[in-house]
Amino acid sequence: QVQLAESGGGLVQPGGSLRLSCAASSISPYRFIEFDMNWYRQALGKERELVASIRGTDSSTNYADSVKGRFTISRDDAENTVFLQMNSLKPEDTAVYYCNFYRRRIEKDYWGRGTQVAVSS
């Protein structure tokens, strides 16, 4: 069973940066390509939204319009880890950030428990 564990959240001032990590267990590095990896976020009282994606096959990326140019998703297959570098943070980025792995062949989602990001002065 794939397990995901996020880390790196915290409190940061507007304009600051954070780097989130998502460590995946029970996945062999050569199988990373079977998954699409995503970061979602959910702010208080709002629906969960997709923030950034990276495809397992070719590492192509996609971003929500609200974070384009500020956030960067990346992966380290050897370490079974996906990252979300967040720069120029804004108060509206405040949310719980969730790591998601989607295994395409069996159409199954795996979720982490989330990490809180708060942007405030």
Side-chain angles (χ1 to χ4, degrees):
Q1 178 74 5
V2 175
Q3 294 184 321
L4 305 176
E6 303 97 334
S7 61
L11 174 64
V12 64
Q13 292 186 342
S17 298
L18 284 174
R19 189 191 197 204
L20 306 184
S21 299
C22 173
S25 60
S26 302
I27 302 178
S28 299
Y30 73 91
R31 295 181 62 186
F32 232 43
I33 63 171
E34 299 180 12
F35 295 83
D36 292 332
M37 293 148 279
N38 309 290
W39 285 97
Y40 285 77
R41 69 184 180 187
Q42 187 167 19
L44 193 63
K46 296 187 176 180
E47 293 187 356
R48 192 172 296 189
E49 64 171 342
L50 179 61
V51 174
S53 299
I54 185 165
R55 288 183 61 88
T57 51
D58 61 5
S59 293
S60 59
T61 58
N62 280 291
Y63 298 92
D65 288 343
S66 58
V67 307
K68 279 181 182 176
R70 300 188 298 122
F71 290 12
T72 303
I73 188 171
S74 61
R75 56 192 267 197
D76 183 335
D77 291 11
E79 296 295 326
N80 280 9
T81 302
V82 178
F83 303 98
L84 185 68
Q85 178 66 44
M86 306 186 296
N87 298 328
S88 302
L89 282 161
K90 305 175 181 180
E92 51 263 44
D93 295 318
T94 296
V96 178
Y97 284 71
Y98 296 91
C99 178
N100 165 268
F101 276 35
Y102 177 70
R103 192 173 182 187
R104 295 184 305 278
R105 183 173 63 84
I106 60 173
E107 298 181 335
K108 184 174 176 64
D109 281 297
Y110 302 90
W111 292 92
R113 293 188 175 185
T115 184
Q116 176 72 53
V117 171
V119 185
S120 175
S121 55

